[in-house]
């Protein structure tokens, strides 16, 4: 029996384009005023466990680039106007099977024609699948089960659950910058995709690919796990992997600008349903900025959003408009205080023993220094039950006490040495040493 929902969907629809790249062929067709894709993947395999050839079908557009290969319009299939029938023929082997794939079509002159995808044997091995025009197979016709329809739902809840389950396993105890479980972020991105489905129609398979990529988009970047067919079972798993890779920053590049440029270039080669994830991700992240960010960080972040919007224009009109609104309403110059009032944030104050360590938020090394201080405080609290700072707050102007009762790096050293954690003759914790190195490098940030 052959799984044939994609075959049923493309039958008698107008073919508007055909592409070839690597071992794939993609037929683009119109159905219900929506352009859809029908892909054929050719397989040949020979080994002690299985010999033979077979075909797999899909319903999402192929990327524009496969390694060094570029997806090109097909010249040999450019006469296909509509597909009438697709048949399978098999020849059994001792440990496998050969399969012929026959596409019966109407050409642009209204004539019935056919293509036969046939395994080309050589010394009892198949090295390639050749395409023969108007040839009949000598293999046995394989029965295809009654027409199976593509589901009418917007997306598959099973795909959602399976992708989310793997994402939760991969991200583990990771938190968002606001301290929430990381699931909050990836589910928010997926929800933006789902919300868009009723506003801008895409196919069932494209929706599932988009949702899977939304839930898995940070796995390669933030965790040691890899999205592949061995770790998570999802339809169109190759397309999911390509999408996640395109959504992953290349941290080997020297700066964030080059990382963003590479990522956007990779995304431009992906189907629009994958590009949607980047739009949804930035929509989600353009919530009120984390309170420890400074004006320079907020400004660069909204500039990145503008860059994303420009690069992915045409991916999804609904998400593009929503991102544009987020950009226009994003607060760069001020933050909201505890009472909901907008104010500038010139300083960030760490509190300890009724004294304060004050950071200049306008200093170029501020963010690295803050993160080192904050992570050091959390680390020693967890590992050594040691309190360095009680809390921190933003300030537009310093209070009299904050101007007077100042702390410096010497206070941190004193606290750590209570448990002999910075003994110069006996370094007991490399993690603390790394944090302190960053703090010393940012000493000028401390007012």
């Amino acid at each position: 029996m052959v799984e044939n929902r994609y075959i049923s969907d493309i039958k008698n629809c107008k073919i508007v384009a055909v592409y070839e790249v690597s071992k794939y062929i993609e037929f683009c067709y119109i159905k219900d005023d929506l352009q859809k894709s029908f892909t054929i993947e050719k397989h040949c395999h020979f080994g002690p466990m299985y010999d033979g050839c077979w075909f797999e079908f899909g319903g999402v557009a192929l990327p524009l680039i496969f390694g060094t290969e570029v997806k090109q319009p097909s010249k040999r299939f450019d006469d296909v106007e509509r597909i009438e029938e697709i048949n399978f023929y098999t020849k059994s082997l001792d440990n496998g099977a050969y399969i012929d794939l026959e596409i019966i079509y109407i050409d642009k002159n209204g004539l019935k024609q056919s293509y036969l995808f046939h395994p080309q044997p050589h010394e009892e091995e198949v090295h390639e699948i050749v395409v023969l025009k108007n040839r009949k197979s000598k293999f046995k016709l394989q029965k295809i089960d009654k027409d199976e329809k593509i589901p009418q739902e917007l997306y598959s809840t099973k795909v959602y659950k399976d992708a989310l389950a793997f994402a939760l396993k991969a991200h583990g105890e990771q938190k968002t910058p606001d301290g929430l479980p990381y699931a909050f972020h990836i589910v928010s991105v997926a929800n933006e995709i789902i919300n868009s489905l009723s506003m801008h129609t895409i196919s069932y398979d494209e929706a599932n690919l988009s949702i899977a990529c939304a839930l898995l988009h940070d796995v390669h970047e933030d965790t040691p796990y890899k999205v592949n067919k061995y770790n998570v079972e999802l339809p169109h798993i190759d397309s999911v992997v390509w999408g996640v890779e395109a959504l992953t920053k290349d941290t080997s590049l020297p700066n964030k600008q080059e990382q963003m440029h590479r990522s956007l270039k990779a995304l431009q080669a992906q189907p629009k349903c994958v590009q949607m994830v980047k739009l949804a991700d930035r929509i989600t992240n353009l919530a009120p900025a984390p309170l420890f960010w400074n004006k320079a960080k907020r400004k660069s972040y909204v500039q990145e959003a503008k860059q994303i919007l420009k690069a992915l224009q045409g991916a999804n009109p609904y998400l593009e408009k929503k991102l544009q609104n987020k950009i226009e309403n994003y607060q760069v110059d001020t933050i909201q205080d505890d009472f909901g009032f907008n104010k500038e944030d010139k300083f960030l104050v760490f509190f300890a023993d009724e004294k304060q360590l004050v950071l200049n938020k306008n200093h170029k090394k501020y963010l690295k220094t803050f993160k080192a201080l904050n992570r050091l405080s959390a680390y020693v609290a967890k590992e050594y039950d040691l309190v360095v700072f009680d809390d921190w707050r933003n300030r537009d102007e310093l209070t009299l006490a904050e101007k007077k009762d100042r702390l410096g790096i010497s206070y941190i050293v004193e606290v750590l040495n209570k448990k002999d954690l910075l003994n110069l003759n006996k370094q007991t914790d490399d993690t603390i040493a790394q944090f302190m190195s960053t703090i010393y490098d940012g000493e000028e940030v401390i007012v």
Side-chain angles (χ1 to χ4, degrees), residues 397-420:
E397 297 293 343
L398 298 176
T399 66
L400 184 61
E402 290 162 356
K403 291 179 180 179
K404 182 179 179 182
D405 299 322
R406 298 281 183 83
L407 296 171
I409 295 179
S410 60
Y411 160 77
I412 303 169
V413 174
E414 181 182 340
V415 173
L416 294 176
N417 277 332
K418 289 179 180 178
K419 293 202 174 182
D420 201 25

Side-chain angles (χ1 to χ4, degrees), residues 53-55 88-91 97-101 117 119 139 142:
C53 70
W54 68 100
F55 304 88
F88 295 85
Y89 302 84
T90 60
K91 177 183 177 181
Y98 291 161
I99 297 178
D100 277 352
L101 173 67
F117 294 78
F139 299 164
Q142 183 176 356

Side-chain angles (χ1 to χ4, degrees), residues 288-307:
L291 292 175
F292 66 84
W293 282 13
N294 56 8
K295 182 177 177 179
K297 174 64 176 177
R298 296 191 295 268
K299 184 176 180 180
S300 68
Y301 204 70
V302 80
Q303 286 300 123
E304 282 183 359
K306 293 177 181 178
Q307 186 180 355

Side-chain angles (χ1 to χ4, degrees), residues 335-370:
I335 60 170
Q336 281 194 350
D337 63 16
D338 294 338
F339 301 101
F341 295 106
N342 293 332
K343 66 178 185 180
E344 293 187 14
D345 51 331
K346 300 176 183 177
F347 305 99
L348 186 138
V349 180
F350 282 95
F351 299 95
D353 297 331
E354 298 183 355
K355 293 186 178 182
Q356 296 82 28
L357 186 144
V358 181
L359 304 184
N360 175 7
K361 292 191 76 172
N362 292 320
H363 197 283
K364 62 182 180 180
K365 293 183 179 180
Y366 156 74
L367 274 176
K368 285 185 177 180
T369 306
F370 167 82

Side-chain angles (χ1 to χ4, degrees), residues 14-254:
K14 180 176 176 57
I15 305 299
V16 294
V18 186
Y19 298 98
E20 291 188 77
V21 63
S22 184
K23 59 182 178 178
Y24 297 90
I25 302 167
E26 177 185 351
F27 291 88
C28 300
Y29 62 101
I30 302 295
K31 185 166 186 177
D32 300 328
D33 297 322
L34 182 68
Q35 180 168 315
K36 305 175 78 172
S37 291
F38 169 67
T39 60
I40 301 172
E41 181 180 3
K42 300 172 287 185
H43 292 275
C44 288
H45 179 78
F46 297 90
M49 302 299 294
Y50 183 87
D51 287 351
C53 70
W54 68 100
F55 304 88
E56 291 186 19
F57 305 114
V60 297
L62 298 172
L64 297 179
I65 299 174
F66 279 74
T68 59
E69 294 187 59
V70 178
K71 185 170 78 171
Q72 299 282 0
S74 173
K75 292 183 179 179
R76 60 177 167 178
F77 299 116
D78 63 359
D79 63 331
V80 179
E81 180 72 13
R82 57 185 174 87
I83 293 174
E84 275 200 343
E85 193 62 70
I86 296 180
N87 296 315
F88 295 85
Y89 302 84
T90 60
K91 177 183 177 181
S92 297
L93 304 173
D94 291 338
N95 61 335
Y98 291 161
I99 297 178
D100 277 352
L101 173 67
E102 181 186 40
I103 297 179
I104 301 173
Y105 69 95
I106 302 299
D107 69 14
K108 296 187 184 301
N109 295 317
L111 301 176
K112 182 177 286 191
Q113 310 264 17
S114 69
Y115 285 111
L116 184 69
F117 294 78
H118 175 68
Q120 182 67 55
H122 178 69
E123 297 181 356
E124 299 183 353
E125 288 190 0
V126 176
H127 292 282
E128 62 177 337
I129 295 175
V130 297
V131 180
L132 307 172
K133 191 164 184 176
N134 295 325
R135 293 274 295 273
K136 296 300 294 183
S137 174
K138 296 181 180 180
F139 299 164
K140 181 180 178 181
L141 179 66
Q142 183 176 356
K143 181 182 177 182
I144 298 179
D145 194 29
K146 64 180 182 178
D147 284 355
E148 178 187 354
K149 304 296 184 183
I150 291 178
Q152 296 301 304
E153 292 88 351
L154 292 176
Y155 66 96
S156 165
T157 55
K158 185 178 187 306
V159 169
Y160 185 103
K161 291 175 183 177
D162 290 347
L164 178 59
F166 182 73
L168 294 177
K169 177 182 177 182
H171 287 287
E173 297 182 3
Q174 184 181 348
K175 305 291 185 183
T176 69
D178 295 319
L180 297 170
Y182 206 72
F184 183 84
H185 170 66
I186 57 176
V187 168
S188 295
V189 177
N191 286 346
E192 290 290 348
I193 298 295
I194 293 169
N195 190 50
S196 75
L197 298 179
S198 61
M199 305 301 294
H200 180 77
T201 304
I202 61 176
S203 74
Y204 177 78
D205 291 279
E206 288 171 331
N208 288 330
L209 173 58
S210 190
I211 290 168
C213 287
L215 292 167
L216 300 168
H217 75 276
D218 278 334
V219 168
H220 289 183
E221 191 168 310
D222 294 342
T223 84
Y225 287 81
K226 292 297 179 184
V227 178
N228 56 46
K229 63 183 179 181
Y230 305 108
N231 290 335
V232 57
E233 187 174 341
L234 293 168
H236 301 98
I237 184 61
D238 287 343
S239 294
V240 175
V241 173
W242 299 328
V244 171
E245 288 176 346
L247 289 159
T248 301
K249 295 188 187 75
D250 184 354
T251 54
S252 68
L253 296 174

